[in-house]
């Protein structure tokens, strides 16, 4: 039996079990269908087969979940931080115990290659452990004495929060948002993306088995314009954490305005990787390939624009095209696969529309530019060359395995090109001139910058973008800043010096 056949056999019982029950909402500790009785289907992009029926929640289900989160909030807020820490570590243990199941199900649900999703569960467990260990210090404050007052600060959890997660790497991103919310003492209503609901259900089950009290974490499936909008508008939900595209983030901000809802957005990107002629070119080539074609190119931090110095561009682009053509596109459960199918037929069509746009604009397709096979949503890793930064393919987020190469002559030109986009999530700089690297990093409009490196996650550091790429930061104490309110207490330290009126 091949490794692929073995993984398909391992997936089969999980598919059978889910096929019997479907994906239910989970509100106040009870798994339940939508109040309306409505369902929708979720399919695998590998062969478009139906995975399961999913409860189609709407405003009624969101209201029930919000009320459950509100009722559970006081007790969870007042639960000793050491207890919250223990429960979150137990969730991490449960994730690790079901790591293989999570990986297989996420691959089938999203089309992501197993070589990457095999690590998704472990990264999710790491998120829970990281914030679990910080729960006891989440409310720590400062002492800021003044001549007449002992001023102290503390933090308190903001209340029930809504978390809306995307269809790309949904398991890891769900843990990235939910773990700090729970550690801070907030309760949660989670709406996963309708295109990838499977591992959200697994995660919910793990949390309950770990001893999380009913109502602390609630799950509502559904469409963005139904369940998602109801969540962003609900008056009992005090904040919304959202990962997705920039236009949806803008809509959520408008929807939450009436209730003065706090928002945290991790949005799109058109991130540049800038390669100077003094760089380690083989390492830069590896990084360019990895940061656009891994995870099917469906990642907000992908390096989708290559800015390459004209003195090395000819050779660099030839090598890049050859490497792109050699990438293995195939079944997501095959360990040899490097790029799997895109999430859905509609998204594949959107990505492939950029091929015609590129040719119309005058760019060349040096690799890919086509569908792979007739079944499933497979697209060949694609490279556009002869591009300029004013083209649509250089400005619009494609969100697939598609790279646009643009040439530059000078450092100043490279910086202007890098910043000439509505987005500002990440940037990747390749040069052996450390002075240039520091100077360029200072001028680059991006929330996260890596020099001579791919995107390497370090949990204590801030994660987030500028401009249309988002609002706020995840990671370290920055996550607690979003899920908690600052409180100042001033205590008089001497005889009260209060002006007397009306005497």
């Amino acid at each position: 039996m091949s490794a692929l056949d073995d993984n398909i056999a391992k997936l089969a019982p999980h598919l059978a079990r889910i096929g019997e029950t479907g994906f239910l909402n989970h509100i106040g500790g009870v798994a339940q269908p939508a109040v309306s009785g409505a369902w929708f289907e979720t399919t695998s992009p590998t062969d478009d087969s139906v995975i399961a029926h999913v409860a189609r929640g709407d405003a009624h289900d969101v209201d029930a979940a919000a009320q459950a989160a509100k009722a559970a909030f006081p007790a969870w807020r007042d639960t000793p931080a050491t207890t919250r820490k223990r429960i979150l570590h137990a969730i991490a243990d449960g994730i690790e115990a079901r790591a293989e199941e999570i990986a297989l199900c996420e691959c089938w649900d999203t089309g992501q290659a197993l070589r990457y999703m095999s690590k998704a569960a472990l990264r999710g467990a790491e998120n829970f452990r990281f914030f679990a260990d910080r729960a006891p210090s989440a409310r720590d404050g400062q002492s800021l004495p003044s001549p007449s007052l002992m001023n102290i600060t503390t933090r308190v959890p903001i209340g029930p929060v809504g978390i809306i997660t995307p269809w790309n790497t949904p398991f890891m991103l769900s843990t990235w948002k939910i773990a700090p919310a729970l550690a801070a003492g907030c309760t949660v209503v989670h709406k996963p993306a309708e295109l990838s609901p499977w591992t959200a259900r697994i995660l919910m089950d793990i949390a309950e088995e770990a001893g999380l009290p009913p109502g602390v974490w609630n799950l509502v499936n559904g469409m963005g314009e139904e369940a998602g909008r109801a969540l962003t508008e609900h008056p009992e939900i005090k904040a919304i954490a959202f990962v997705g595209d920039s236009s949806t983030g803008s809509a959520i901000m408008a929807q939450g305005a009436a209730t003065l809802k706090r928002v945290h957005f991790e949005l799109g990107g058109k991130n540049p990787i800038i390669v100077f002629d003094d760089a380690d070119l083989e390492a830069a080539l590896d990084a360019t390939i990895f940061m656009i074609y891994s995870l099917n190119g469906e990642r907000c931090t992908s390096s989708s624009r290559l800015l390459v110095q004209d003195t090395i561009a000819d050779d660099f682009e030839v090598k890049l095209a050859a490497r792109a053509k050699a990438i293995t596109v195939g079944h997501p459960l095959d360990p040899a696969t490097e790029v799997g199918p895109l999430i859905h037929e509609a998204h594949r069509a959107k990505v492939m529309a950029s091929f015609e746009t590129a040719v119309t604009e005058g760019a060349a397709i040096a690799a890919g530019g086509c569908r792979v096979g007739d079944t499933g949503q497979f697209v060949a890793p694609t490279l556009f060359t002869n591009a300029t930064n004013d083209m649509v393919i250089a400005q619009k987020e494609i969100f697939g395995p598609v790279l646009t190469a643009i040439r530059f002559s000078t450092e100043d030109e490279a910086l202007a090109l890098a910043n000439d986009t509505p987005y500002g999530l990440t940037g990747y700089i390749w040069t052996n001139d450390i002075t240039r690297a520091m100077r360029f990093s200072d001028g680059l409009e991006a929330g996260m910058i890596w020099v001579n490196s791919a995107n390497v996650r370090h949990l204590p550091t801030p994660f987030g973008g500028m401009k249309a790429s988002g609002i706020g930061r995840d990671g370290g104490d920055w996550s607690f800043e979003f899920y908690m309110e600052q409180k100042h207490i001033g205590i008089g330290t001497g005889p009260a010096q209060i002006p007397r009126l009306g005497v």
Side-chain angles (χ1 to χ4, degrees):
M1 179 182 289
S2 69
L4 171 58
D5 291 336
D6 185 45
N7 287 331
I8 291 173
K10 290 177 180 177
L11 176 68
H14 303 303
L15 271 170
R17 184 174 66 253
I18 290 301
E20 294 174 358
T21 62
F23 296 121
L24 299 173
N25 298 330
H26 201 92
I27 300 171
V30 179
Q32 54 194 269
V35 172
S36 67
W39 300 83
F40 65 94
E41 289 182 342
T42 184
T43 60
S44 173
T46 304
D47 59 5
D48 300 320
S49 61
V50 175
I51 295 173
H53 290 81
V54 186
R56 185 166 178 163
D58 58 19
H60 296 91
D61 304 277
V62 168
D63 180 62
Q67 297 301 336
K70 179 184 178 181
F73 174 63
W76 183 246
R77 175 197 62 202
D78 297 337
T79 296
T82 51
T83 302
R84 292 202 302 275
K85 175 181 176 178
R86 176 181 54 76
I87 292 173
L88 267 60
H89 271 293
I91 293 174
D93 292 340
I95 290 171
E96 291 175 354
R98 297 176 68 172
E100 182 179 70
E101 174 191 355
I102 291 164
L104 294 172
C105 295
E106 185 121 306
C107 289
W108 194 246
D109 204 16
T110 67
Q112 293 289 348
L114 182 63
R115 65 170 55 207
Y116 303 116
M117 290 304 99
S118 62
K119 304 171 185 175
L122 300 181
R123 292 182 70 190
E126 184 184 1
N127 289 334
F128 269 93
R129 294 201 193 284
F130 177 84
F131 289 108
D133 288 339
R134 278 157 178 74
S137 62
R139 300 188 187 185
D140 286 356
Q142 301 180 62
S143 173
L144 304 167
S146 64
S148 61
L149 293 172
M150 175 59 70
N151 297 289
I152 57 175
T153 69
T154 187
R155 290 188 297 199
V156 295
I158 195 170
V161 299
I163 293 176
I164 303 175
T165 50
W167 46 257
N168 62 315
T169 60
F171 184 84
M172 196 285 292
L173 288 171
S174 294
T175 64
W176 184 225
K177 298 292 184 181
I178 293 172
L182 297 177
C186 294
T187 52
V188 171
V189 178
H190 178 206
K191 195 207 88 67
E194 55 265 29
L195 294 178
S196 57
W198 196 344
T199 52
R201 177 69 248 183
I202 296 173
L203 187 56
M204 181 81 256
D205 291 342
I206 290 171
E208 288 227 317
E209 291 166 4
L212 194 71
V216 170
W217 180 349
N218 306 274
L219 173 67
V220 179
N221 295 290
M223 302 296 137
E225 275 301 307
E226 298 170 358
R229 181 165 191 149
L231 185 60
T232 62
E233 293 180 344
H234 201 285
E236 298 298 347
I237 298 298
K238 306 305 179 185
I240 293 287
F242 169 74
V243 183
D245 68 272
S246 301
S247 60
T248 304
S250 180
I252 289 173
M253 180 175 281
Q255 292 161 14
T259 53
L260 297 177
K261 216 173 288 313
R262 183 182 293 184
V263 295
H264 188 294
F265 294 152
E266 182 190 330
L267 305 176
K270 196 68 176 176
N271 311 299
I273 182 167
I274 306 101
V275 180
F276 289 94
D277 59 10
D278 68 338
D280 179 338
L281 296 182
E282 286 303 310
L285 182 65
D286 288 341
T288 302
I289 290 284
F290 178 77
M291 284 308 304
I292 184 57
Y293 298 125
S294 62
L295 298 176
N296 299 349
E298 296 168 321
R299 62 195 302 182
C300 59
T301 56
S302 68
S303 53
S304 54
R305 285 187 301 152
L306 166 65
L307 306 183
V308 57
Q309 197 154 20
D310 52 13
T311 49
I312 57 168
D314 287 343
D315 185 55
F316 198 84
E317 288 175 358
V318 167
K319 291 181 178 179
L320 194 57
R323 289 277 297 275
K325 292 174 183 177
I327 289 172
T328 301
V329 179
H331 197 292
L333 294 181
D334 188 339
T337 292
E338 295 172 306
V339 171
L342 302 186
I343 185 68
H344 189 269
E345 180 181 10
H347 186 62
R348 175 187 58 77
K350 171 181 172 290
V351 170
M352 292 186 66
S354 70
F355 305 160
E356 182 177 350
T357 300
V359 173
T360 300
E361 292 187 308
I365 300 179
C370 60
R371 185 176 181 179
V372 177
D374 298 323
T375 302
Q377 309 309 323
F378 298 88
V379 172
T382 298
L383 171 65
F384 299 143
T385 57
N386 195 38
T388 57
N389 206 56
D390 58 349
M391 293 179 177
V392 172
I393 57 172
Q395 292 291 321
K396 185 176 180 180
E397 186 178 40
I398 298 171
F399 215 65
V402 181
L403 176 62
T404 300
I406 302 165
R407 300 185 179 193
F408 69 87
S409 297
T410 67
E411 179 184 327
D412 287 344
E413 182 187 5
L415 184 61
L417 290 170
N419 288 336
D420 182 22
T421 171
Y423 300 101
L425 187 57
T426 71
Y428 306 88
I429 304 167
W430 283 85
T431 178
N432 280 326
D433 184 336
I434 189 62
T435 304
R436 169 191 281 160
M438 295 300 294
R439 184 171 59 241
F440 204 95
S441 296
D442 188 56
L444 187 57
E445 295 169 353
M448 299 173 289
I449 299 167
W450 283 269
V451 177
N452 297 335
S453 174
N455 177 335
V456 179
R457 189 180 71 146
H458 183 50
L459 291 177
T461 60
F463 186 104
M466 300 177 178
K467 301 193 289 189
S469 288
I471 296 173
R473 296 292 184 271
D474 286 309
D477 200 53
W478 287 274
S479 292
F480 287 148
E481 284 296 311
F482 175 70
Y483 291 115
M484 305 185 82
E485 295 274 23
Q486 288 284 351
K487 184 179 288 188
H488 163 241
I489 303 166
I491 304 170
T493 56
Q497 304 292 321
I498 303 171
R500 302 181 70 193
L501 302 180
V503 176

